[in-house]
Amino acid sequence: MQEIVRQDYWEKIAHYLGKGQIIVLVGQRRVGKSCMLNVVRQKVSENPDANVIYIDKEKREFDAIQTYQDLNQYIGERFKPGAHNYILIDEVQDIKEFERTVRSYRTEPDTDVIITGSNARMLSNELSTLIGGRYVEIHILPLSYCEFLTFHKLQDSDEALAQYIQFGGLPGLTAMGLDETDVRDYQRNIYDTILLRDVVMRNEIRNVVFLENLVRFVADNTGKLISASSISKFMKSQGETVTPAAVIKYLKFLTDAFIIRKVNRYDIHGKRIFESNDKYYFEDNGIRNAIAGGTREGDIEKVIENVVYLQLLRMGYQVSVGQLQVGEVDFVGSRPSGERVYVQASYVVADEATREREFGNLRAIQDNYPKYVISMTPLVTRNDDDGITHLHLRKFLREGF
């Protein structure tokens, strides 16, 4: 099957080639980091002066590379002075003290180092300690809606959007089609692998039952404000005693493995970040649905929020939850340039009570930044409601704002 290039990510990577920066591709397992590394491999190999050294720690032929000394030897035997060397290492966190090798080869002339990893804590801690600001991190997300259409050869339609909401954007689904039984088996297998390899084994977790219950709790409460104490109380009501401190630690393990993402609350009036009660969303809404089980009829609002949140990230926004004195705004998106947007995500705005909830909170914000309601309301494409733009979800996922 011909490989489809995710052009936006390739352009981000290409922008940093030749600039002395280590390029780090991060994200949950099976979101396409390895494919992007292979794209880099193919693209740079077109240069006749390129010498590509490629290591994939998920393949048994590279099992012998366990430590940075092994890595030094492997690369040293293949490194060509005078050529432009590209060192590509997939799942680098499986190599002990890999950062020593990465730091050394970064200083070589005409050398680019691109690595991938599935553990945020390990990558950030080791690299920031030894390399400082000499690396750039590119977060690979699951397929966008437009990529989903391309990968699955679908036309944009309500049915295609429903499949995207239900099944999510793991690129590997392309090989098996969109049969629900096959999709859920695949997603659960990936989830089990992530939980075992990137959470349980890496953090030497003993209370695996609580960890699994915690993930299910977050899946059931996607998009809701939750705190460690509230989770601790809930678990106690289920007959399991877990301290708030332990909850915080386990949530951090899950975010480090890119299963879930933490979103802070932002005080819109006071312009500050709150320090407790956050929201959590899943890196892939399909895996979230596989964990939660059932159909989407009862939790469609949560899934739409998750989909909108991920798309805002793809658009380059830093995302917070907006807190007002009289209510909440689902998302505050900001960029380093000072640009800001306010977004409410809803399923259908069908009655006056829903309209007041979604539009009223936005009207309570006393500034001139753009405000949007994104929903699946029939017959809505892009409407203006007294300065607030009402966008259909499909249009937003295709075209942005």
Side-chain angles (χ1 to χ4, degrees):
M1 186 174 67
Q2 184 179 5
E3 190 165 57
I4 300 172
V5 176
R6 301 175 72 180
Q7 190 65 25
D8 288 348
Y9 288 122
W10 162 242
E11 290 175 1
K12 287 180 182 179
I13 295 166
H15 175 75
Y16 290 104
L17 291 175
K19 295 185 177 180
Q21 295 279 341
I22 297 167
I23 301 171
V24 186
L25 308 183
V26 300
Q28 179 186 284
R29 288 185 187 269
R30 300 295 178 264
V31 295
K33 302 187 303 297
S34 299
C35 289
M36 284 311 309
L37 198 65
N38 196 46
V39 167
V40 174
R41 182 184 187 182
Q42 294 171 10
K43 294 281 190 181
V44 301
S45 294
E46 296 172 1
N47 177 2
D49 296 326
N51 176 49
V52 180
I53 303 170
Y54 182 81
I55 297 166
D56 183 354
K57 277 299 294 174
E58 291 201 325
K59 293 184 177 177
R60 63 179 181 273
E61 62 191 274
F62 300 103
D63 281 349
I65 303 176
Q66 296 292 325
T67 68
Y68 80 94
Q69 293 100 330
D70 301 330
L71 187 58
N72 283 342
Q73 180 177 347
Y74 185 90
I75 295 174
E77 292 171 353
R78 292 159 178 79
F79 194 87
K80 293 182 180 180
H84 193 128
N85 289 277
Y86 294 90
I87 301 171
L88 314 181
I89 311 173
D90 201 8
E91 298 297 350
V92 72
Q93 78 277 350
D94 292 336
I95 302 172
K96 187 176 180 180
E97 295 186 279
F98 69 88
E99 66 279 0
R100 292 177 178 270
T101 301
V102 167
R103 177 182 64 174
S104 175
Y105 278 101
R106 187 201 67 81
T107 61
E108 293 287 340
D110 296 322
T111 300
D112 279 295
V113 180
I114 306 100
I115 61 178
T116 81
S118 302
N119 187 281
R121 177 170 56 86
M122 175 166 287
L123 289 169
S124 62
N125 285 356
E126 272 76 345
L127 290 174
S128 61
T129 299
L130 283 181
I131 305 172
R134 302 186 190 99
Y135 74 98
V136 60
E137 188 174 280
I138 298 175
H139 197 126
I140 308 295
L141 290 167
L143 301 179
S144 68
Y145 176 59
C146 291
E147 289 173 330
F148 179 84
L149 296 177
T150 300
F151 272 60
H152 292 280
K153 299 180 180 178
L154 299 173
Q155 296 295 316
D156 176 32
S157 65
D158 288 342
E159 181 182 1
L161 177 60
Q163 289 176 309
Y164 182 65
I165 289 172
Q166 174 77 325
F167 298 136
L170 294 180
L173 296 180
T174 310
M176 65 184 62
L178 296 176
D179 174 80
E180 182 161 6
T181 300
D182 293 340
V183 168
R184 292 305 183 223
D185 285 344
Y186 176 76
Q187 289 168 335
R188 290 189 186 99
N189 287 337
I190 289 177
Y191 166 68
D192 289 343
T193 300
I194 296 169
L195 210 65
L196 177 63
R197 294 181 61 177
D198 298 327
V199 183
V200 174
M201 293 175 63
R202 193 165 298 282
N203 299 289
E204 299 180 346
I205 288 175
R206 296 181 180 180
N207 195 347
V208 179
V209 173
F210 165 64
L211 179 68
E212 293 175 334
N213 288 338
L214 178 61
V215 179
R216 281 193 289 270
F217 179 90
V218 176
D220 289 338
N221 291 275
T222 300
K224 292 183 179 179
L225 290 173
I226 58 177
S227 66
S229 59
S230 67
I231 296 175
S232 178
K233 290 176 183 176
F234 173 79
M235 293 300 174
K236 188 175 182 179
S237 72
Q238 302 299 302
E240 188 168 9
T241 301
V242 182
T243 66
V247 172
I248 291 172
K249 182 172 68 174
Y250 277 51
L251 285 171
K252 184 66 166 61
F253 292 156
L254 293 168
T255 57
D256 284 343
F258 303 107
I259 296 176
I260 59 175
R261 298 180 67 116
K262 176 182 174 181
V263 184
N264 299 111
R265 287 190 302 155
Y266 176 77
D267 182 355
I268 293 174
H269 295 308
K271 304 293 188 283
R272 61 192 177 92
I273 295 291
F274 287 107
E275 295 181 354
S276 62
N277 285 9
D278 306 300
K279 286 189 177 185
Y280 289 88
Y281 294 94
F282 278 76
E283 186 89 350
D284 178 67
N285 53 285
I287 284 186
R288 181 264 165 203
N289 295 340
I291 295 167
T295 66
R296 304 284 65 81
E297 293 177 11
D299 57 10
I300 186 65
E301 295 271 359
K302 303 173 189 176
V303 186
I304 288 176
E305 269 195 49
N306 209 129
V307 169
V308 171
Y309 166 70
L310 292 173
Q311 187 64 14
L312 288 170
L313 294 180
R314 293 187 189 95
M315 295 167 68
Y317 288 102
Q318 294 179 328
V319 184
S320 303
V321 177
Q323 188 66 47
L324 294 161
Q325 292 177 353
V326 294
E328 178 189 296
V329 175
D330 289 332
F331 303 116
V332 180
S334 58
R335 287 174 169 158
S337 62
E339 178 186 350
R340 184 184 303 167
V341 294
Y342 300 106
V343 178
Q344 290 281 71
S346 181
Y347 176 35
V348 176
V349 182
D351 54 50
E352 198 55 39
T354 306
R355 176 170 293 277
E356 179 56 32
R357 182 182 71 243
E358 304 297 352
F359 285 82
N361 286 352
L362 292 174
R363 291 193 180 97
I365 303 172
Q366 301 300 310
D367 63 36
N368 294 320
Y369 290 110
K371 302 171 180 68
Y372 299 90
V373 173
I374 298 172
S375 78
M376 294 179 66
T377 306
L379 305 181
V380 167
T381 52
R382 183 186 184 95
N383 298 342
D384 179 78
D385 191 314
D386 194 24
I388 298 172
T389 302
H390 190 181
L391 277 176
H392 194 278
L393 179 61
R394 274 175 58 196
K395 187 173 181 65
F396 169 68
L397 293 177
R398 290 196 321 266
E399 305 170 12
F401 296 126

